[in-house]
């Protein structure tokens, strides 16, 4: 099983766990509100035998409905906050794993492979077009290998690239193969696809 499939499986399990926790919390809130409603109605019946039961029941029902709605809103807010923290923790762990990857032996090979994925696009450029490869400062040691893989290119560093990867610019053509951009895209996709209602 490759890394992407494992991460997809972990993401699916994570989404299922968050949705299950949200459903359980909602059911507990509803049960609690119903219990409180029953208790309040029981107290009202006992205290006001002579009073108009219908008026009291309607008032209590209205108050209970408002309280129930407030509890549900509070529960949703708490669940959203908890889910956000879980997602942030998960993506912090992913960042840690990316840091391990970029410190490993296979990272340079992966970086150079990213350049070769754009060979067809670069072949269509006019001869002598300026090619600029931008990497994070920690990857400046790969300049020689990058220039060998892409003769005639200029290699520069950018502190905005924190995690690794590279950007390739050739005129108006720009490829962003940074791990930073990939992580942002994955986080956005996760928030859009795994939302709680």
């Amino acid at each position: 099983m490759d890394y992407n499939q494992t991460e997809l499986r972990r993401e699916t399990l994570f989404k299922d766990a968050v949705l299950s926790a949200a459903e359980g919390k909602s059911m507990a809130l509803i049960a609690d509100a119903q219990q409180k409603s029953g208790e309040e109605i029981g107290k009202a019946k006992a205290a006001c035998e002579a009073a108009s039961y219908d008026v009291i029941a309607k008032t209590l029902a209205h108050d209970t409905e408002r309280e129930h709605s407030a509890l549900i809103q509070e529960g949703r807010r708490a669940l959203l906050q908890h889910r956000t923290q879980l997602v942030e923790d998960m993506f912090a762990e992913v960042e840690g794993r990316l840091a391990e990857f970029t410190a490993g032996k296979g990272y340079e090979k992966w970086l150079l492979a990213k350049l070769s994925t754009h060979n067809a696009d670069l072949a269509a450029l006019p001869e002598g077009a300026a090619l600029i490869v931008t990497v994070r400062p920690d990857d400046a040691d790969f300049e020689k290998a990058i220039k060998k893989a892409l003769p005639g290119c200029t290699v520069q560093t950018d502190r905005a690239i924190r995690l690794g990867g590279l950007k390739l610019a050739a005129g108006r053509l720009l490829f962003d193969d940074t791990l930073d951009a990939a992580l942002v895209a994955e986080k956005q996709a996760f928030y859009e696809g795994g939302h709680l209602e």
Side-chain angles (χ1 to χ4, degrees):
M1 182 178 281
D2 72 342
Y3 182 75
N4 289 336
Q5 289 175 333
T6 302
E7 286 303 310
L8 180 61
R9 183 168 182 262
R10 283 185 65 203
E11 181 180 307
T12 301
L13 290 173
F14 177 76
K15 285 180 187 176
D16 291 346
V18 169
L19 291 174
S20 176
E23 187 174 316
K25 188 114 178 179
S26 278
M27 295 307 287
L29 288 172
I30 289 169
D32 187 46
Q34 287 173 341
Q35 179 185 353
K36 284 183 181 180
S37 172
E39 289 171 2
E40 291 296 321
I41 289 173
K43 286 178 188 177
K45 279 183 183 179
C48 301
E49 297 256 342
S52 173
Y53 175 75
D54 288 341
V55 172
I56 293 171
K58 285 181 183 178
T59 302
L60 285 175
H62 179 70
D63 290 347
T64 302
E65 187 177 321
R66 275 190 303 150
E67 184 180 330
H68 179 258
S69 293
L71 284 171
I72 287 186
Q73 288 299 333
E74 176 60 25
R76 284 183 178 167
R77 187 198 60 75
L79 284 172
L80 181 60
Q81 187 176 17
H82 181 67
R83 177 185 182 262
T84 300
Q85 186 60 49
L86 288 174
V87 170
E88 291 304 319
D89 290 348
M90 179 182 72
F91 278 96
E93 183 181 334
V94 170
E95 273 195 44
R97 288 186 180 188
L98 289 173
E100 290 173 12
F101 168 68
T102 58
K105 293 182 180 184
Y107 175 62
E108 181 180 4
K109 184 178 179 181
W110 177 86
L111 195 66
L112 297 174
K114 283 294 175 187
L115 285 174
S116 67
T117 61
H118 302 295
N119 284 344
D121 296 313
L122 296 176
L125 292 174
E127 190 174 324
L131 299 174
I132 300 171
V133 178
T134 307
V135 295
R136 67 184 178 151
D138 291 351
D139 295 340
D141 294 343
F142 301 132
E143 180 175 356
K144 196 174 198 178
I146 291 170
K147 285 185 173 184
K148 184 177 178 184
L150 195 60
C153 74
T154 302
V155 178
Q156 62 186 22
T157 61
D158 184 355
R159 291 191 187 283
I161 303 173
R162 291 183 318 103
L163 301 175
L166 55 87
K167 291 182 183 179
L168 177 61
R172 287 187 264 154
L173 193 61
L174 175 69
F175 301 101
D176 188 342
D177 289 327
T178 60
L179 295 172
D180 305 69
L183 189 63
V184 167
E186 284 299 320
K187 192 183 244 186
Q188 183 67 30
F190 182 82
Y191 273 118
E192 289 174 1
H195 64 285
L196 293 176
E197 294 183 350

